């Protein structure tokens, strides 16, 4: 029997921990003895409700390596991660480094592995916002161009890579210079399908109106929405007004970045109003199973999160996107999402349309729910 394929999986930010659950589950259930995974956690996210909570509830193996880099400037934290990942790769041989998405942990993994000639599998490759002011856009471009396997979640992602000069031919051994671009589907769909079938005694909907379904779910954490004083105030002012207009509660699990910026940048009178408004419920970040429960039951989802946009569509919920562009263009093209930027009037209009609309459907663009299986099979076949 061939020696197992040794993966070093780098995770660090909340969505990566969640995404990693799909691959770890596929390895455990279908590739035992053929793939051996070691997980490295950079420590980019470290609060229990931003990282630790997901390991137990999603059945992800505890990371063997914890770098504990914590927070800081983009350059300093990325540099600490590169150093830590490089040390691990030098200490022990790995066949493939696995990275997810577009965070600084993704970039650090890509840089460390590429320089040591360790082949990289990039999961969620090929996405583009065409806005390089986003740290994520820089991270994903660099990661893609260092990778040996680019596992795309959608056809749009494949076409983005095609336009950047990647060959779509996989009829040759995969190398960093001649990588494989593969439309694997999205591991987030794998997870949403798998975990929404798991019953949990959740109390997350308790106290949200009489039916537990007449509420709006909001998340906001993007750098340009939280660090920009005008945008942050516009968004929270608009949420207050939206609540008055619709008479519907708004539930907002607050990302730690957003909490800090609210403390520092919200106009004091708005901050007081937000604090006193019983209908605008700010709660700490919730676990993934609770988040799925909220998404499944909300009337409308309002978000700037990439993952939450998609999950809203998986549950056929209309999504209002607090950005001027999205990497998940299919959602907008097919009417599952509407871009409103941080503009209150556009937000009100989009929410009105979402509330008036008949039930949404689920878009069929994120694969067959077995993305992790396809990724493992392709890696084994072309190692
Ligand atoms: C990061 C990713 C972003 C992703 C998001 C998911 C980058 C450049 N950005 O953004 O793409 O959508 O994660 O949530 O990698 N903080 C805490 N506790 C924590 C984590 C963060 O207090 O556990 C606070 C710190 O003050 C930190 C700030 O949040 O400085 C921002 O964290 P950081 O990881 O730099 O970026 P995110 O905004 O979380
Ligand atoms: N999520 C969660 N608890 C929360 C908010 C989000 O479990 O309080 C999950 C959400 O269901 C999705 C992922 O976190 O799976 C999205 O991560 P995030 O919004 O932090 O980052 P992005 O997807 O924008 O990179």
């Amino acid at each position: 029997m061939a020696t197992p394929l040794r993966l070093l999986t780098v995770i660090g930010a909340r969505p990566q921990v969640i995404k990693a659950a799909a691959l770890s589950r596929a390895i455990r259930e279908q590739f035992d003895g053929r793939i051996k995974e070691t997980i490295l956690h950079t420590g980019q996210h470290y609060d229990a409700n931003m990282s630790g909570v997901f390991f137990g509830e999603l059945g992800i193996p505890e990371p063997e390596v914890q770098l504990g880099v914590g927070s800081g400037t983009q350059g300093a934290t990325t540099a600490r991660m590169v150093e830590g990942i490089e040390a691990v790769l030098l200490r022990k041989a790995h066949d493939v480094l696995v990275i997810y998405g577009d965070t600084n942990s993704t970039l650090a993994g890509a840089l460390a592995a590429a320089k040591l000639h360790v082949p990289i599998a990039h999961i969620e490759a090929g996405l583009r916002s065409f806005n390089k002011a986003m740290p994520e856009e820089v991270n994903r471009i660099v990661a893609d161009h260092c990778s040996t396997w680019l596992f795309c979640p959608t056809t749009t992602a494949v076409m983005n890579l095609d336009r950047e000069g990647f060959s779509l031919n996989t009829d040759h051994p995969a190398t960093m210079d001649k990588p494989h671009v593969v439309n694997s589907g999205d591991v987030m769909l794998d997870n949403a399908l798998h975990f929404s079938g798991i019953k949990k005694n959740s109390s997350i909907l308790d106290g949200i109106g009489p039916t537990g379904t007449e509420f709006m779910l909001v998340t906001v954490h993007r750098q340009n929405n939280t660090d920009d004083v005008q945008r942050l105030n516009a968004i929270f002012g608009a949420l207050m007004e939206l609540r008055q207009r619709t008479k519907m509660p708004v539930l907002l699990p607050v990302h730690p970045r957003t909490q800090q910026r609210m403390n520092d940048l919200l106009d004091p009178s708005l901050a007081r109003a937000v604090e006193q408004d019983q209908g605008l419920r700010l709660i700490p970040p919730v676990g993934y199973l609770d988040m799925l429960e909220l998404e499944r039951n909300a009337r409308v989802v309002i978000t700037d999160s990439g993952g939450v946009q998609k999950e809203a569509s998986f549950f056929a919920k209309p999504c209002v996107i607090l950005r001027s562009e999205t990497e998940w263009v299919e959602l907008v093209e097919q009417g599952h999402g509407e871009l409103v930027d941080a503009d209150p009037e556009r937000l009100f209009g989009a929410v009105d349309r979402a509330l008036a609309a008949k039930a949404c459907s689920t878009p069929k663009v994120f694969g067959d729910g077995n993305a992790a299986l396809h990724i493992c099979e392709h890696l084994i076949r072309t190692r």
Side-chain angles (χ1 to χ4, degrees), residues 50 56 58 87 105 122 173 179 201 205 217 228 311 373:
M50 291 295 288
L58 307 190
S105 298
H122 185 198
N201 289 331
L205 293 171
L217 175 65
D228 180 317
E311 285 164 358
L373 169 70

Side-chain angles (χ1 to χ4, degrees), residues 130-321:
F130 304 101
N131 173 7
K132 290 203 184 91
M134 292 178 73
E136 292 86 355
E137 184 77 350
V138 176
N139 294 346
R140 54 174 87 102
I141 291 171
V142 176
D144 281 344
H145 285 263
C146 293
S147 292
T148 290
W149 293 274
L150 296 98
F151 292 109
C152 298
T154 59
T155 306
T156 302
V158 173
M159 298 324 289
N160 287 338
L161 293 175
D162 186 31
R163 271 192 298 274
E164 278 175 29
F166 284 86
S167 161
L168 303 186
N169 177 7
T170 56
D171 233 2
H172 53 79
T175 65
M176 194 168 154
D177 290 316
K178 288 185 80 181
H180 283 184
V181 172
V182 178
N183 190 345
S184 57
D186 195 328
V187 290
M188 292 195 76
L189 177 61
D190 297 19
N191 275 338
L193 291 173
H194 179 81
F195 289 107
S196 53
I198 288 177
K199 277 267 163 286
K200 179 186 182 238
N201 289 331
S202 172
S203 55
I204 196 74
L205 293 171
D206 291 358
I208 306 180
T211 61
T213 55
E214 291 296 303
F215 71 98
M216 289 181 264
L217 175 65
V218 180
T219 79
V220 49
H221 75 274
R222 287 278 151 219
Q223 181 175 296
N224 76 327
N225 280 337
T226 55
D227 290 15
D228 180 317
V229 63
Q230 278 173 351
R231 290 178 71 95
L232 187 73
N233 278 277
I235 289 170
F236 277 88
L239 291 177
M240 295 285 292
E241 190 174 335
L242 192 61
R243 218 198 58 62
Q244 309 283 352
R245 283 172 173 236
T246 58
K247 308 280 178 253
M248 219 180 257
V250 169
L251 190 81
L252 199 167
V254 188
H255 190 288
R257 171 191 207 105
T258 313
Q259 187 59 62
Q260 282 183 8
R261 301 302 187 270
M262 288 171 71
N263 298 344
D264 297 342
L265 301 179
L266 274 193
D267 181 78
S269 61
L270 177 59
R272 262 194 311 280
V274 165
E275 202 181 296
Q276 287 164 3
D277 188 333
Q278 300 288 315
L280 181 59
R281 290 184 42 184
L282 305 184
I283 60 172
V286 300
Y288 179 70
L289 299 182
D290 277 345
M291 191 64 186
L292 294 186
E293 188 74 358
L294 290 173
E295 290 165 344
R296 253 200 313 258
N297 287 284
R299 275 294 300 280
V300 182
V301 177
I302 302 171
T303 191
D304 63 6
S305 157
V308 176
Q309 282 173 56
K310 284 185 287 175
E311 285 164 358
S313 80
F314 299 158
F315 297 120
K317 298 293 172 174
C319 185
V320 177
I321 305 164

Side-chain angles (χ1 to χ4, degrees), residues 15 44-47 71 103-104 136 221-222 255-257 260:
Q44 179 174 348
H45 287 175
Y46 43 86
D47 292 347
S71 301
T103 73
N104 290 344
E136 292 86 355
H221 75 274
R222 287 278 151 219
H255 190 288
R257 171 191 207 105
Q260 282 183 8

